[in-house]
Amino acid sequence: MSSGTSFASSQGTRSSRSAEDCPDLRAQMEKRRKRRKESNRESARRSRVRKQQHLDDLSSQVDQLKNQSQQLSMVLGMTTQNLVALQAQNSVMQTQKMELESRLCALGEIICCMNSITNAANPAAAMGATASGAYDIFGAGSTWSQPID
């Protein structure tokens, strides 16, 4: 029980000390509370500033990406137009190639006919003409048979 009385007596001293220092203690606590509130306000203000800066950065990034998307869309449109024009040009050239190949074949047949007529009229001259390779101008050595594609 003596321990209980000593506890009570120490409590009594504390409370009497608190009662004496109460205005100073309350002033200190009030001062801390005000500093804490001010610190919290400042922290909240910095947080709002950071949030606004982040939103501004995101908004700027959105504008930049929209501009980039618009530019890429224009480039894509021009590239598509060029592709269509080149495909049309390629189609025309392929048609011309087929026509030229047809004409070349017809000319080759004409030359064959002329050679056969010449051979029939003069067999000795035909042997020399064939050996000289005059007919080969339309033959395998020609670049006309290469594809255009």
Side-chain angles (χ1 to χ4, degrees):
M1 295 252 174
S2 64
S3 104
T5 45
S6 86
F7 175 75
S9 66
S10 74
Q11 272 297 350
T13 5
R14 278 190 200 161
S15 68
S16 66
R17 234 187 254 158
S18 294
E20 293 169 6
D21 298 334
C22 191
D24 289 339
L25 184 62
R26 284 187 181 173
Q28 284 180 346
M29 288 175 63
E30 185 66 26
K31 194 175 181 180
R32 283 185 201 154
R33 189 175 66 79
K34 284 182 179 181
R35 272 188 277 161
R36 204 169 45 247
K37 276 187 169 184
E38 185 60 35
S39 174
N40 286 346
R41 282 187 193 113
E42 183 61 25
S43 177
R45 185 191 67 77
R46 286 191 309 262
S47 177
R48 286 190 300 272
V49 167
R50 279 193 310 269
K51 183 179 178 181
Q52 185 61 45
Q53 181 64 41
H54 184 65
L55 285 174
D56 291 346
D57 290 346
L58 289 176
S59 178
S60 173
Q61 189 176 8
V62 165
D63 291 342
Q64 190 177 24
L65 290 172
K66 281 181 180 178
N67 287 338
Q68 186 178 10
S69 174
Q70 187 178 18
Q71 289 174 351
L72 289 173
S73 181
M74 287 173 47
V75 168
L76 178 63
M78 291 187 327
T79 303
T80 302
Q81 287 177 351
N82 287 342
L83 173 66
V84 169
L86 287 173
Q87 285 175 334
Q89 186 179 7
N90 189 32
S91 178
V92 167
M93 291 176 81
Q94 284 179 344
T95 303
Q96 288 175 346
K97 174 192 164 216
M98 289 172 47
E99 182 182 330
L100 289 171
E101 285 175 342
S102 174
R103 289 170 68 186
L104 179 62
C105 184
L107 287 173
E109 289 175 3
I110 291 172
I111 289 175
C112 278
C113 287
M114 290 176 68
N115 282 342
S116 65
I117 293 171
T118 306
N119 288 344
N122 190 356
M127 293 289 282
T130 308
S132 70
Y135 179 74
D136 194 44
I137 60 170
F138 298 112
S142 174
T143 59
W144 290 96
S145 62
Q146 294 177 353
I148 293 179
D149 301 7

